[in-house]
Amino acid sequence: MTEKNNQLDVVKSLIKKFYNSTENDELRTPLLKAYNRLEDGADVGDIAAHAASAVNYLRKADNLTLSSEQEDTWRQLRDMGTADVLYHDPKNNLLNLDEM
């Protein structure tokens, strides 16, 4: 339980750090959604993977350039994610704004 709480704290910290490092609302929206899902008790590994996937999708779709700090934060978030979700997330479900 302590390890899971520690992982939760780390992922929430990474999401918050990334959220505060950008003014881009397109990036902030899925990050806020991920943070809120963690607050609601969602699986930490799944949400970390979905958040990293959403950021990567937006980065590639909008040709966004991340700062070196943002890139490092994104990589840490990605590494905290569940591998299954990272490789099988066809709909990037944190990007579905209709759920908000």
Side-chain angles (χ1 to χ4, degrees), residues 44-82:
V44 176
D46 288 354
I47 293 300
H50 285 301
S53 178
V55 167
N56 195 50
Y57 173 83
L58 289 169
R59 179 174 68 165
K60 291 184 181 275
D62 296 344
N63 291 322
L64 300 176
T65 302
L66 301 180
S67 70
S68 59
E69 183 179 338
Q70 288 172 326
E71 182 78 25
D72 184 53
T73 303
W74 173 77
R75 288 181 187 282
Q76 290 177 50
L77 187 61
R78 180 198 63 192
D79 292 348
M80 297 287 294
T82 305

Side-chain angles (χ1 to χ4, degrees), residues 1-32:
M1 185 73 166
T2 303
E3 183 180 326
K4 187 167 182 122
N5 284 340
N6 186 41
Q7 186 181 19
L8 174 63
D9 292 340
V10 170
V11 170
K12 285 171 70 174
S13 174
L14 290 169
I15 289 171
K16 188 175 182 179
K17 180 178 178 182
F18 202 111
Y19 181 91
N20 289 331
S21 74
T22 184
E23 296 292 320
N24 185 321
D25 285 335
E26 262 192 297
L27 282 175
R28 283 182 152 198
T29 299
L31 292 168
L32 179 61

